[in-house]
Amino acid sequence: MTAFLVGLGFSALAVFIAEMGDKTQLVAMSLATRYRALTVILGITAATAVVHIASVLVAEVLGAALPTDWITFVAGVAFLVFGAWTLRGDEMTDKDEARAASRRIKSVFLTVFTVFFVAELGDKTMLTTITVGARYDWLPVWIGSTVGMVAADAIAIALGAVLGRKLPEKAIRIGAATLFFVAGTVMVGQGAWMLLN
């Protein structure tokens, strides 16, 4: 088997396993209760590809050195902001609805991309990608880690899409905000702990 295929397979499997039960998988499920599954999967794929290309390049250039303390702390603060934003909710008038109809897919895509991008910064799957990237060439690790991540999150998206049809919007909003608050609090705590030690 070629080195390319070994790196591709190993990174896909490692990231798939790392993503199972991870906070970003919960974020994917939460997003799928609110938005169309296809838009969520496209936003997650794009965010993952960007984060993981940065991860493998960091592994190549800096030999797996990354200031995860600050990244984790800032991502945690962002999650707390996302939680408050989710609780507040967004209201659109009929006029806004008509104006935004043509741009809806783009704006939802950018929302999903941004939320998932921030969630993935400093996450264990990002660190897994860096670790694997330090061992194998960057291209197969980038492709494999992206495929592994999207495959694991597709499971959560399917589950979120099914649950979203059965849950009232208020429960979804409160559940999503709770996930953001819990993940944000944990990340701020982890980042602060790393910065102080």
Side-chain angles (χ1 to χ4, degrees), residues 40-148:
V40 173
I41 200 89
L42 291 173
I44 285 173
T45 301
T48 300
V50 171
V51 170
H52 288 195
I53 192 69
S55 299
V56 295
L57 292 178
V58 163
E60 286 282 316
V61 175
L62 301 178
L66 184 71
T68 56
D69 45 7
W70 279 106
I71 289 174
T72 302
F73 185 80
V74 170
V77 170
F79 261 53
L80 295 174
V81 171
F82 287 143
W85 186 3
T86 301
L87 264 184
R88 189 189 67 125
D90 290 328
E91 297 286 327
M92 288 186 82
T93 65
D94 291 336
K95 189 176 180 181
D96 292 334
E97 195 71 48
R99 212 176 321 129
S102 63
R103 296 182 309 213
R104 176 168 297 159
I105 291 175
K106 278 187 184 176
S107 64
V108 170
F109 173 84
L110 289 175
T111 299
V112 171
F113 176 90
T114 304
V115 167
F116 204 79
F117 179 84
V118 170
E120 184 59 14
L121 291 177
D123 194 54
K124 69 181 175 185
T125 50
M126 180 183 180
L127 299 176
T128 300
T129 302
I130 292 171
T131 303
V132 176
R135 186 171 174 195
Y136 297 101
D137 288 335
W138 71 270
L139 183 60
V141 173
W142 176 52
I143 295 168
S145 64
T146 302
V147 167

Side-chain angles (χ1 to χ4, degrees), residues 165-194:
R165 291 188 203 111
K166 299 185 186 317
L167 296 174
E169 187 176 335
K170 185 176 180 180
I172 293 169
R173 192 171 63 238
I174 290 170
T178 301
L179 288 174
F180 283 126
F181 287 137
V182 168
T185 301
V186 168
M187 291 167 72
V188 166
Q190 287 174 340
W193 177 259
M194 289 187 285

Side-chain angles (χ1 to χ4, degrees), residues 4-77:
F4 185 91
L5 291 178
V6 171
L8 184 89
F10 187 77
S11 60
L13 182 61
V15 170
F16 181 86
I17 292 169
E19 181 65 1
M20 293 311 240
D22 194 42
K23 71 178 185 299
T24 49
Q25 192 177 43
L26 298 175
V27 168
M29 184 186 303
S30 173
L31 290 167
T33 63
R34 247 187 128 153
Y35 306 118
R36 281 187 23 220
L38 179 61
T39 307
V40 173
I41 200 89
L42 291 173
I44 285 173
T45 301
T48 300
V50 171
V51 170
H52 288 195
I53 192 69
S55 299
V56 295
L57 292 178
V58 163
E60 286 282 316
V61 175
L62 301 178
L66 184 71
T68 56
D69 45 7
W70 279 106
I71 289 174
T72 302
F73 185 80
V74 170
V77 170

Side-chain angles (χ1 to χ4, degrees), residues 147-158:
V147 167
M149 183 84 155
V150 172
D153 288 333
I155 295 168
I157 289 167

